[in-house]
Amino acid sequence: MKLMTMKKTVAVTAAILGSIALGGTQALASHHFETTLVQQKPALNQLDNYVFASERPDHTAFIMNVSSTPKEGDDGIFSSEALYNIHVSNDDKFETGHTFSLQFDGDKYTLYSSDKPNGPVGEMGTKIGEGVVGKTAELSDGIQVWAGVAKDPFYGNSPSLHLLRTELNSGQPYDPDIWSQSGGKSIFVGRKSAAIVLDVPNSMLSSTIRTFMTTDVKQDDDSWQQIQFSANPLFSHIMLFENEALKEAYNRTRPDMQDDYKPIAAARISRAATLAKSQDDPIKYGNEIADQLIPDVLTYKPGTEATFTATERNGRPLDDDAMSVVLTMLLGTETDQKIPNPKLHTDTFPYVIPTTLN
């Protein structure tokens, strides 16, 4: 189901390219606070996505991190007005596979499964089980689920990223020393988030899967609207120009609707590589990286070790340095964000580290 006509997408693209602005000082994480709505309702906010081999043989783990400021009270962790969707396509046309959707009611949730990885917004499919926030649920077909509050595994040098944006915006040459100016600190230290964790049997998956995550919200007329989309870490935050209209439009797309965003991402990458003096042909380089990142999905071969680097991306493990990887791809030169990995994850289900709100 198309969420936005190509004409509308092209119109938004033209408007953005006519008034490019990189500004913005809040660089919270891979997908933190991208739009006005999620700034007002943080429980709707998608953060990071991970796909890797489960601790259980012949299973794959999917993690959807949301809500960067979980709190007590109604809709303080997960929103009761939303569907949180993990889309898993078994083919590159997004025609076969599954969408796993969680709907919350207080501290309880219902998990649904559809056999359409790219189906209509709000389509839940068949109920396959229920669970309680903070507890592991064993559901049908060998699916295991956990949803609750966890330590945020993401780490990022946001102050230095803002310096990079300032350089790009003004056309200054790239200065690699900016990554040392934060004093080696991540603004994510001590932060919490909510997480949805699924362990799915590989028998439900093809030899290569393509994963993306969305959040849908019910409207006054009982229809559903997609308000968030994410897959690759930091894609909209770094690869797209800092313009709310563009990000609003992107958050309503699906992978089969994203071709119009290739020239925008390519332009950002080409500009960055030019200012970094890293490529003999920055335009060619920008086009090549944009082709790798769009359609925006996490591609993974079930049963193999997940890795996420600038040269090899197979799923995404919790132990990755996502910001350094994306910065390397953006600038066309090896980049280290200069902060330590806090390693806020485990090797056992639910893989994230559960914590309390207080």
Side-chain angles (χ1 to χ4, degrees), residues 207-227:
S207 58
T208 300
I209 58 174
R210 294 157 182 85
T211 299
F212 60 97
M213 319 285 185
T214 63
T215 304
D216 304 334
V217 171
K218 181 170 281 191
Q219 306 300 294
D220 291 339
D221 63 358
D222 286 334
S223 65
W224 291 88
Q225 182 181 59
Q226 179 180 308
I227 62 161

PDB file of all heavy atoms in Angstrom, residues 207-227:
ATOM      1  N   SER A 207      16.914 -17.834   3.022  1.00  0.00           N
ATOM      2  CA  SER A 207      18.373 -17.839   3.198  1.00  0.00           C
ATOM      3  C   SER A 207      18.935 -16.426   3.326  1.00  0.00           C
ATOM      4  O   SER A 207      20.015 -16.233   3.891  1.00  0.00           O
ATOM      5  CB  SER A 207      19.045 -18.560   2.025  1.00  0.00           C
ATOM      6  OG  SER A 207      18.710 -17.928   0.790  1.00  0.00           O
ATOM      7  N   THR A 208      18.200 -15.429   2.797  1.00  0.00           N
ATOM      8  CA  THR A 208      18.571 -14.019   2.952  1.00  0.00           C
ATOM      9  C   THR A 208      17.303 -13.240   3.263  1.00  0.00           C
ATOM     10  O   THR A 208      16.320 -13.330   2.529  1.00  0.00           O
ATOM     11  CB  THR A 208      19.215 -13.444   1.667  1.00  0.00           C
ATOM     12  OG1 THR A 208      20.394 -14.197   1.359  1.00  0.00           O
ATOM     13  CG2 THR A 208      19.593 -11.986   1.871  1.00  0.00           C
ATOM     14  N   ILE A 209      17.321 -12.492   4.357  1.00  0.00           N
ATOM     15  CA  ILE A 209      16.152 -11.703   4.740  1.00  0.00           C
ATOM     16  C   ILE A 209      16.487 -10.219   4.720  1.00  0.00           C
ATOM     17  O   ILE A 209      17.649  -9.825   4.807  1.00  0.00           O
ATOM     18  CB  ILE A 209      15.628 -12.091   6.139  1.00  0.00           C
ATOM     19  CG1 ILE A 209      16.724 -11.913   7.195  1.00  0.00           C
ATOM     20  CG2 ILE A 209      15.094 -13.514   6.127  1.00  0.00           C
ATOM     21  CD1 ILE A 209      16.250 -12.146   8.613  1.00  0.00           C
ATOM     22  N   ARG A 210      15.455  -9.407   4.592  1.00  0.00           N
ATOM     23  CA  ARG A 210      15.597  -7.953   4.600  1.00  0.00           C
ATOM     24  C   ARG A 210      14.602  -7.397   5.617  1.00  0.00           C
ATOM     25  O   ARG A 210      13.398  -7.609   5.481  1.00  0.00           O
ATOM     26  CB  ARG A 210      15.342  -7.395   3.196  1.00  0.00           C
ATOM     27  CG  ARG A 210      16.407  -7.841   2.194  1.00  0.00           C
ATOM     28  CD  ARG A 210      15.944  -7.813   0.760  1.00  0.00           C
ATOM     29  NE  ARG A 210      16.987  -8.292  -0.128  1.00  0.00           N
ATOM     30  CZ  ARG A 210      17.205  -9.576  -0.424  1.00  0.00           C
ATOM     31  NH1 ARG A 210      16.426 -10.516   0.115  1.00  0.00           N
ATOM     32  NH2 ARG A 210      18.182  -9.917  -1.250  1.00  0.00           N
ATOM     33  N   THR A 211      15.135  -6.692   6.620  1.00  0.00           N
ATOM     34  CA  THR A 211      14.329  -6.271   7.753  1.00  0.00           C
ATOM     35  C   THR A 211      14.244  -4.754   7.837  1.00  0.00           C
ATOM     36  O   THR A 211      15.224  -4.052   7.589  1.00  0.00           O
ATOM     37  CB  THR A 211      14.949  -6.815   9.061  1.00  0.00           C
ATOM     38  OG1 THR A 211      14.972  -8.231   9.010  1.00  0.00           O
ATOM     39  CG2 THR A 211      14.147  -6.369  10.270  1.00  0.00           C
ATOM     40  N   PHE A 212      13.060  -4.260   8.211  1.00  0.00           N
ATOM     41  CA  PHE A 212      12.884  -2.851   8.540  1.00  0.00           C
ATOM     42  C   PHE A 212      11.799  -2.752   9.599  1.00  0.00           C
ATOM     43  O   PHE A 212      11.048  -3.707   9.832  1.00  0.00           O
ATOM     44  CB  PHE A 212      12.546  -2.008   7.304  1.00  0.00           C
ATOM     45  CG  PHE A 212      11.284  -2.404   6.581  1.00  0.00           C
ATOM     46  CD1 PHE A 212      10.081  -1.745   6.804  1.00  0.00           C
ATOM     47  CD2 PHE A 212      11.292  -3.436   5.642  1.00  0.00           C
ATOM     48  CE1 PHE A 212       8.915  -2.103   6.130  1.00  0.00           C
ATOM     49  CE2 PHE A 212      10.143  -3.801   4.949  1.00  0.00           C
ATOM     50  CZ  PHE A 212       8.953  -3.135   5.194  1.00  0.00           C
ATOM     51  N   MET A 213      11.733  -1.614  10.283  1.00  0.00           N
ATOM     52  CA  MET A 213      10.794  -1.431  11.385  1.00  0.00           C
ATOM     53  C   MET A 213       9.922  -0.202  11.139  1.00  0.00           C
ATOM     54  O   MET A 213      10.402   0.810  10.606  1.00  0.00           O
ATOM     55  CB  MET A 213      11.549  -1.241  12.715  1.00  0.00           C
ATOM     56  CG  MET A 213      12.749  -2.147  12.917  1.00  0.00           C
ATOM     57  SD  MET A 213      12.307  -3.837  13.307  1.00  0.00           S
ATOM     58  CE  MET A 213      13.915  -4.586  13.629  1.00  0.00           C
ATOM     59  N   THR A 214       8.657  -0.283  11.547  1.00  0.00           N
ATOM     60  CA  THR A 214       7.756   0.864  11.429  1.00  0.00           C
ATOM     61  C   THR A 214       6.895   0.978  12.680  1.00  0.00           C
ATOM     62  O   THR A 214       6.735   0.014  13.429  1.00  0.00           O
ATOM     63  CB  THR A 214       6.815   0.754  10.203  1.00  0.00           C
ATOM     64  OG1 THR A 214       5.960  -0.388  10.368  1.00  0.00           O
ATOM     65  CG2 THR A 214       7.594   0.642   8.901  1.00  0.00           C
ATOM     66  N   THR A 215       6.345   2.164  12.885  1.00  0.00           N
ATOM     67  CA  THR A 215       5.367   2.397  13.944  1.00  0.00           C
ATOM     68  C   THR A 215       4.129   3.022  13.317  1.00  0.00           C
ATOM     69  O   THR A 215       4.241   3.997  12.566  1.00  0.00           O
ATOM     70  CB  THR A 215       5.922   3.342  15.024  1.00  0.00           C
ATOM     71  OG1 THR A 215       7.135   2.806  15.537  1.00  0.00           O
ATOM     72  CG2 THR A 215       4.929   3.502  16.161  1.00  0.00           C
ATOM     73  N   ASP A 216       2.965   2.455  13.604  1.00  0.00           N
ATOM     74  CA  ASP A 216       1.691   2.969  13.102  1.00  0.00           C
ATOM     75  C   ASP A 216       0.867   3.511  14.267  1.00  0.00           C
ATOM     76  O   ASP A 216       0.918   2.972  15.375  1.00  0.00           O
ATOM     77  CB  ASP A 216       0.871   1.859  12.416  1.00  0.00           C
ATOM     78  CG  ASP A 216       1.624   1.172  11.291  1.00  0.00           C
ATOM     79  OD1 ASP A 216       2.528   1.811  10.711  1.00  0.00           O
ATOM     80  OD2 ASP A 216       1.310   0.002  10.999  1.00  0.00           O
ATOM     81  N   VAL A 217       0.092   4.564  13.997  1.00  0.00           N
ATOM     82  CA  VAL A 217      -0.773   5.154  15.019  1.00  0.00           C
ATOM     83  C   VAL A 217      -2.196   5.232  14.485  1.00  0.00           C
ATOM     84  O   VAL A 217      -2.416   5.637  13.336  1.00  0.00           O
ATOM     85  CB  VAL A 217      -0.277   6.558  15.425  1.00  0.00           C
ATOM     86  CG1 VAL A 217      -1.296   7.259  16.324  1.00  0.00           C
ATOM     87  CG2 VAL A 217       1.052   6.453  16.153  1.00  0.00           C
ATOM     88  N   LYS A 218      -3.170   4.865  15.320  1.00  0.00           N
ATOM     89  CA  LYS A 218      -4.572   4.919  14.908  1.00  0.00           C
ATOM     90  C   LYS A 218      -5.058   6.358  14.913  1.00  0.00           C
ATOM     91  O   LYS A 218      -4.806   7.121  15.848  1.00  0.00           O
ATOM     92  CB  LYS A 218      -5.443   4.065  15.830  1.00  0.00           C
ATOM     93  CG  LYS A 218      -6.916   4.044  15.449  1.00  0.00           C
ATOM     94  CD  LYS A 218      -7.707   3.008  16.227  1.00  0.00           C
ATOM     95  CE  LYS A 218      -7.496   1.620  15.639  1.00  0.00           C
ATOM     96  NZ  LYS A 218      -8.456   0.633  16.219  1.00  0.00           N
ATOM     97  N   GLN A 219      -5.787   6.737  13.859  1.00  0.00           N
ATOM     98  CA  GLN A 219      -6.309   8.082  13.709  1.00  0.00           C
ATOM     99  C   GLN A 219      -7.743   8.162  14.259  1.00  0.00           C
ATOM    100  O   GLN A 219      -8.352   7.154  14.619  1.00  0.00           O
ATOM    101  CB  GLN A 219      -6.287   8.492  12.232  1.00  0.00           C
ATOM    102  CG  GLN A 219      -4.917   8.333  11.575  1.00  0.00           C
ATOM    103  CD  GLN A 219      -3.853   9.159  12.234  1.00  0.00           C
ATOM    104  OE1 GLN A 219      -3.900  10.389  12.204  1.00  0.00           O
ATOM    105  NE2 GLN A 219      -2.867   8.500  12.849  1.00  0.00           N
ATOM    106  N   ASP A 220      -8.275   9.365  14.298  1.00  0.00           N
ATOM    107  CA  ASP A 220      -9.627   9.576  14.837  1.00  0.00           C
ATOM    108  C   ASP A 220     -10.699   8.808  14.069  1.00  0.00           C
ATOM    109  O   ASP A 220     -11.735   8.447  14.624  1.00  0.00           O
ATOM    110  CB  ASP A 220      -9.966  11.070  14.834  1.00  0.00           C
ATOM    111  CG  ASP A 220      -9.135  11.847  15.843  1.00  0.00           C
ATOM    112  OD1 ASP A 220      -8.618  11.218  16.790  1.00  0.00           O
ATOM    113  OD2 ASP A 220      -8.991  13.074  15.680  1.00  0.00           O
ATOM    114  N   ASP A 221     -10.453   8.574  12.778  1.00  0.00           N
ATOM    115  CA  ASP A 221     -11.436   7.847  11.964  1.00  0.00           C
ATOM    116  C   ASP A 221     -11.190   6.337  11.975  1.00  0.00           C
ATOM    117  O   ASP A 221     -11.730   5.599  11.140  1.00  0.00           O
ATOM    118  CB  ASP A 221     -11.432   8.379  10.534  1.00  0.00           C
ATOM    119  CG  ASP A 221     -10.085   8.169   9.835  1.00  0.00           C
ATOM    120  OD1 ASP A 221      -9.141   7.643  10.483  1.00  0.00           O
ATOM    121  OD2 ASP A 221      -9.968   8.551   8.656  1.00  0.00           O
ATOM    122  N   ASP A 222     -10.354   5.883  12.907  1.00  0.00           N
ATOM    123  CA  ASP A 222     -10.014   4.467  13.081  1.00  0.00           C
ATOM    124  C   ASP A 222      -9.111   3.909  11.991  1.00  0.00           C
ATOM    125  O   ASP A 222      -8.834   2.701  11.960  1.00  0.00           O
ATOM    126  CB  ASP A 222     -11.274   3.590  13.186  1.00  0.00           C
ATOM    127  CG  ASP A 222     -11.975   3.753  14.532  1.00  0.00           C
ATOM    128  OD1 ASP A 222     -11.287   4.114  15.508  1.00  0.00           O
ATOM    129  OD2 ASP A 222     -13.197   3.531  14.593  1.00  0.00           O
ATOM    130  N   SER A 223      -8.644   4.762  11.093  1.00  0.00           N
ATOM    131  CA  SER A 223      -7.639   4.318  10.131  1.00  0.00           C
ATOM    132  C   SER A 223      -6.266   4.383  10.808  1.00  0.00           C
ATOM    133  O   SER A 223      -6.116   4.948  11.884  1.00  0.00           O
ATOM    134  CB  SER A 223      -7.653   5.218   8.892  1.00  0.00           C
ATOM    135  OG  SER A 223      -7.252   6.541   9.223  1.00  0.00           O
ATOM    136  N   TRP A 224      -5.260   3.783  10.165  1.00  0.00           N
ATOM    137  CA  TRP A 224      -3.910   3.775  10.714  1.00  0.00           C
ATOM    138  C   TRP A 224      -2.983   4.612   9.836  1.00  0.00           C
ATOM    139  O   TRP A 224      -3.129   4.621   8.608  1.00  0.00           O
ATOM    140  CB  TRP A 224      -3.373   2.356  10.811  1.00  0.00           C
ATOM    141  CG  TRP A 224      -4.049   1.514  11.844  1.00  0.00           C
ATOM    142  CD1 TRP A 224      -5.173   0.758  11.688  1.00  0.00           C
ATOM    143  CD2 TRP A 224      -3.642   1.352  13.203  1.00  0.00           C
ATOM    144  NE1 TRP A 224      -5.500   0.127  12.863  1.00  0.00           N
ATOM    145  CE2 TRP A 224      -4.568   0.471  13.820  1.00  0.00           C
ATOM    146  CE3 TRP A 224      -2.592   1.848  13.977  1.00  0.00           C
ATOM    147  CZ2 TRP A 224      -4.460   0.082  15.147  1.00  0.00           C
ATOM    148  CZ3 TRP A 224      -2.484   1.453  15.304  1.00  0.00           C
ATOM    149  CH2 TRP A 224      -3.413   0.588  15.881  1.00  0.00           C
ATOM    150  N   GLN A 225      -2.035   5.280  10.460  1.00  0.00           N
ATOM    151  CA  GLN A 225      -1.030   6.053   9.719  1.00  0.00           C
ATOM    152  C   GLN A 225       0.356   5.639  10.187  1.00  0.00           C
ATOM    153  O   GLN A 225       0.622   5.540  11.386  1.00  0.00           O
ATOM    154  CB  GLN A 225      -1.211   7.554   9.946  1.00  0.00           C
ATOM    155  CG  GLN A 225      -0.214   8.406   9.165  1.00  0.00           C
ATOM    156  CD  GLN A 225      -0.401   9.895   9.424  1.00  0.00           C
ATOM    157  OE1 GLN A 225      -0.317  10.360  10.555  1.00  0.00           O
ATOM    158  NE2 GLN A 225      -0.689  10.635   8.368  1.00  0.00           N
ATOM    159  N   GLN A 226       1.245   5.371   9.242  1.00  0.00           N
ATOM    160  CA  GLN A 226       2.635   5.084   9.589  1.00  0.00           C
ATOM    161  C   GLN A 226       3.343   6.389   9.914  1.00  0.00           C
ATOM    162  O   GLN A 226       3.345   7.316   9.114  1.00  0.00           O
ATOM    163  CB  GLN A 226       3.336   4.380   8.425  1.00  0.00           C
ATOM    164  CG  GLN A 226       4.804   4.061   8.705  1.00  0.00           C
ATOM    165  CD  GLN A 226       5.458   3.359   7.537  1.00  0.00           C
ATOM    166  OE1 GLN A 226       4.950   2.353   7.035  1.00  0.00           O
ATOM    167  NE2 GLN A 226       6.577   3.890   7.076  1.00  0.00           N
ATOM    168  N   ILE A 227       3.966   6.458  11.086  1.00  0.00           N
ATOM    169  CA  ILE A 227       4.627   7.703  11.491  1.00  0.00           C
ATOM    170  C   ILE A 227       6.139   7.559  11.621  1.00  0.00           C
ATOM    171  O   ILE A 227       6.846   8.561  11.749  1.00  0.00           O
ATOM    172  CB  ILE A 227       4.063   8.228  12.820  1.00  0.00           C
ATOM    173  CG1 ILE A 227       4.325   7.219  13.943  1.00  0.00           C
ATOM    174  CG2 ILE A 227       2.583   8.556  12.697  1.00  0.00           C
ATOM    175  CD1 ILE A 227       4.219   7.816  15.321  1.00  0.00           C
TER     176      ILE A 227
END
